[in-house]
Amino acid sequence: MRPVLTQIIGLTRLCIAGPGGKIGALSFLMIFGLGLAGVQVGVRLIAWTADFYNALQKLDVDGALRQIAIFLGLIAISVCVHLASAYLRKMLQIRWRRALTEAALDRWLAGKAYWHMRERTDHGLDNPDQRIAEDCRIFVEKLTIEGLELATNIVALVTYVSILWSLSTFALSFSLFGHAIEIPRYMVWAAPLYVAIATFITHGLGRPLKALTVEQQKREADFRFSLLRLREHVEAVALADGEQAERRLFRERFGAIAGNWQRLANRELILGFFTRPYFQTVLRIPLFLALPAYLAGRVTFGGLMQIGSAFQNVVTTLSWFVFSYRDLTELAAAASRLSHFMRAAEGAATPASGPALHKAGHAELRLRDLVLATPAGRRLPPVPDLKLEAGGSYWLAAPSGHGKSMLAKAIAGLWTHGGGRIERPEGRILVLPQQPYLPLGSLRTALAYPQSPEAVDDATLREALATIGLEELWSLDEDGWTDRRRGLSGGEQQRFALARALLQAPDWLVLDEATSALDIEAEAQLLSALRRSLPASTLVLIAHRAPQGLGSLRMIALARPVVAFSAGGESDDAVPARRFAL
């Protein structure tokens, strides 16, 4: 129980500390105040119960009508309090959900934690999209409902117990094994004893629900993710006639949902065998317990109903744990998953292993004693020590399987498997992968990414498209761009990524097979245009084939000896190639 409370408190602090969180805390206090007003209405209804039923017992028509009018007024106040509280709770939920979501996104994006966590499934860490979108919503909704009810019920309990104490002036007398026993104010002691027994049984029967709820959330997320994967790769699946294979996967993952759902339903059924009768009888037990005093003539009929009402309020307030057990289970499950995600994201943002990155005090990119490894720990052949000078054009060549893409990620500061030293020069380093990323949104948003669309003027955007041969895209409206974006070929997507690189004008541009979908002639034209547009940038190309269109080019073999290469027939100006053999 203590770890769960610690998790809930920690996440609540994030809700309050985030944007709009303090206004949300003020709303929390206002809702709490309305809850106290509701308690006062409940207190007045307890007194009204005695007045109304006493009027009925006396056949006092005017008194009964007056009490009906008072009842209608109390109900009107209760409705206003409830609606105002419900509205403020909705506003509170969206403010705290925004704050908690921002906190989760901060941790997921900081230090590229989203990259380092992409394949981690240790200890149930999976589906970060669900943690951020779904678990934040569940946590805030359950916290604002159950937390407010708990706070209000604590105050209400003191109020209702004091009323019950003042009304329960009679004792319960009976004989047990020949001994006379008298329990003064027995109605007061019966309430917590009754609820304590019910709470103990409820927790014992419902304890497995938390683990089952966590597992259900995980399996639901796995199923949604498999559907999303099909949507992202519709072309590949369609070309491979993979419908049946995808169907098998969907059936398998939904089967996992159904299996855990069955276990969840079984446990809820077991719990329901106790809680449902409890819910049905909790409103009648007070009358049964107070009946001996009424039959003995110690209280009037109105007094009986008043004591029953007071006892009922005490029992229902104490029964908050029993009534809310299912919701508390969901709150605990969401808090557990979110806390685990937050800790994992914070840890992933500062990886402890991998090549050491250093900010160089010179204008060179240097690799020293660099050895890369796969995530499974398999070490690749050592990367030769390199020194790349600013302003040049380089081709890093090696056969498939020698970690060329890993090297690009290591230069970008992403690869955490292996060892050695990477000295990065001053200035911006941009790495373009083989598979470009086209973000959602307008053409301007996709082209200016990761900058704001407003940060680049139309003329510059259009010029970048013209340089890479996609100027016709500029005439598309938003719907036209959305349709065209889905149908861009691999070569067009790589052209688009190069247009973004032109707009960013990095000091160092690393192309990791970033022109592999283009033919040799198109590649030569694009790389030539790229060099003309970025004359001061250092270009580092990682590719299987010899890049064309860059003129003087220095080739570095990462895996085997090669002969010097000069692109574009400019052998006189080419820098002699260094031969590195692993």
Side-chain angles (χ1 to χ4, degrees), residues 8-29 92-103 139-140 143-144:
I8 293 174
I9 292 171
L11 293 172
T12 304
R13 287 175 178 170
L14 292 178
C15 293
I16 298 174
K22 292 182 174 57
I23 297 177
L26 179 61
S27 299
F28 189 95
L29 294 177
L92 167 63
Q93 287 173 350
I94 196 61
R95 287 192 179 99
W96 276 6
R97 183 182 174 186
R98 178 184 291 112
L100 188 58
T101 300
E102 290 287 343
F139 176 81
V140 171
L143 174 69
T144 52

Side-chain angles (χ1 to χ4, degrees), residues 544-555:
H544 291 291
R545 71 187 183 203
Q548 304 293 322
L550 288 176
S552 179
L553 179 68
R554 177 181 172 187
M555 184 179 69

Side-chain angles (χ1 to χ4, degrees), residues 213-273:
T213 302
V214 170
E215 185 63 22
Q216 189 67 23
Q217 291 171 351
K218 176 184 180 301
R219 297 187 180 191
E220 294 280 3
D222 288 342
F223 181 61
R224 287 196 301 270
F225 180 73
S226 63
L227 296 173
L228 177 62
R229 287 281 292 174
L230 173 59
R231 193 175 70 180
E232 290 178 344
H233 301 280
V234 288
E235 183 176 349
V237 173
L239 291 174
D241 292 329
E243 294 82 8
Q244 291 303 316
E246 295 297 320
R247 186 59 179 266
R248 286 195 298 271
L249 175 63
F250 297 154
R251 188 179 295 114
E252 175 186 336
R253 294 206 167 181
F254 191 82
I257 290 176
N260 193 75
W261 185 268
Q262 182 65 53
R263 290 188 289 273
L264 194 62
N266 292 343
R267 178 50 56 177
E268 288 182 341
L269 178 63
I270 293 172
L271 180 62
F273 276 124

Side-chain angles (χ1 to χ4, degrees), residues 309-385:
S309 179
F311 187 93
Q312 173 184 315
N313 278 277
V314 172
V315 170
T316 53
T317 302
L318 285 172
S319 299
W320 168 80
F321 182 79
V322 178
F323 294 153
S324 302
Y325 193 86
R326 186 68 176 85
D327 291 330
L328 291 174
T329 298
E330 292 187 15
L331 174 62
S336 177
R337 289 171 59 87
L338 268 177
S339 297
H340 187 195
F341 170 77
M342 297 287 194
R343 290 193 305 269
E346 290 172 353
T350 55
S353 60
L357 292 176
H358 295 274
K359 197 78 171 181
H362 44 71
E364 297 175 345
L365 175 65
R366 296 179 180 177
L367 309 181
R368 296 182 178 178
D369 304 322
L370 185 61
V371 178
L372 301 176
T374 66
R378 181 176 66 85
R379 294 167 67 89
L380 302 180
V383 177
D385 291 350

Side-chain angles (χ1 to χ4, degrees), residues 181-480:
I181 299 176
E182 182 177 272
I183 304 176
R185 302 184 188 272
Y186 73 94
M187 293 288 289
V188 177
W189 313 120
L193 179 62
Y194 176 65
V195 175
I197 295 173
T199 300
F200 178 80
I201 296 174
T202 299
H203 184 58
L205 295 177
R207 190 172 183 178
L209 281 176
K210 179 191 172 186
L212 290 171
T213 302
V214 170
E215 185 63 22
Q216 189 67 23
Q217 291 171 351
K218 176 184 180 301
R219 297 187 180 191
E220 294 280 3
D222 288 342
F223 181 61
R224 287 196 301 270
F225 180 73
S226 63
L227 296 173
L228 177 62
R229 287 281 292 174
L230 173 59
R231 193 175 70 180
E232 290 178 344
H233 301 280
V234 288
E235 183 176 349
V237 173
L239 291 174
D241 292 329
E243 294 82 8
Q244 291 303 316
E246 295 297 320
R247 186 59 179 266
R248 286 195 298 271
L249 175 63
F250 297 154
R251 188 179 295 114
E252 175 186 336
R253 294 206 167 181
F254 191 82
I257 290 176
N260 193 75
W261 185 268
Q262 182 65 53
R263 290 188 289 273
L264 194 62
N266 292 343
R267 178 50 56 177
E268 288 182 341
L269 178 63
I270 293 172
L271 180 62
F273 276 124
F274 172 75
T275 56
R276 190 61 189 174
Y278 182 83
F279 295 158
Q280 294 290 329
T281 59
V282 71
L283 301 181
R284 296 291 176 262
I285 292 296
L287 287 178
F288 300 157
L289 290 176
L291 199 58
Y294 173 72
L295 296 176
R298 297 180 181 180
V299 294
T300 64
F301 182 65
L304 170 68
M305 301 305 294
Q306 185 181 28
I307 292 174
S309 179
F311 187 93
Q312 173 184 315
N313 278 277
V314 172
V315 170
T316 53
T317 302
L318 285 172
S319 299
W320 168 80
F321 182 79
V322 178
F323 294 153
S324 302
Y325 193 86
R326 186 68 176 85
D327 291 330
L328 291 174
T329 298
E330 292 187 15
L331 174 62
S336 177
R337 289 171 59 87
L338 268 177
S339 297
H340 187 195
F341 170 77
M342 297 287 194
R343 290 193 305 269
E346 290 172 353
T350 55
S353 60
L357 292 176
H358 295 274
K359 197 78 171 181
H362 44 71
E364 297 175 345
L365 175 65
R366 296 179 180 177
L367 309 181
R368 296 182 178 178
D369 304 322
L370 185 61
V371 178
L372 301 176
T374 66
R378 181 176 66 85
R379 294 167 67 89
L380 302 180
V383 177
D385 291 350
L386 299 180
K387 183 174 69 173
L388 307 184
E389 299 176 353
S393 298
Y394 300 90
W395 171 32
L396 305 185
S400 297
H402 280 72
K404 297 190 298 298
S405 293
M406 292 183 192
L407 176 59
K409 295 179 179 68
I411 293 173
L414 296 179
W415 202 253
T416 59
H417 308 286
R421 178 185 179 92
I422 300 176
E423 296 181 7
R424 291 167 33 122
E426 298 287 343
R428 170 85 189 282
I429 296 180
L430 176 63
V431 178
L432 291 189
Q434 183 177 5
Q435 297 294 330
Y437 172 62
L438 296 179
L440 300 176
S442 65
L443 173 63
R444 291 178 55 89
T445 299
L447 193 54
Y449 183 88
Q451 305 175 80
S452 168
E454 294 76 21
V456 187
D457 59 76
D458 289 354
T460 304
L461 293 174
R462 187 169 185 175
E463 181 182 355
L465 285 176
T467 301
I468 53 89
L470 291 177
E471 187 176 12
E472 74 277 3
L473 295 179
W474 188 254
S475 61
L476 298 175
D477 59 16
E478 186 169 349
D479 291 337

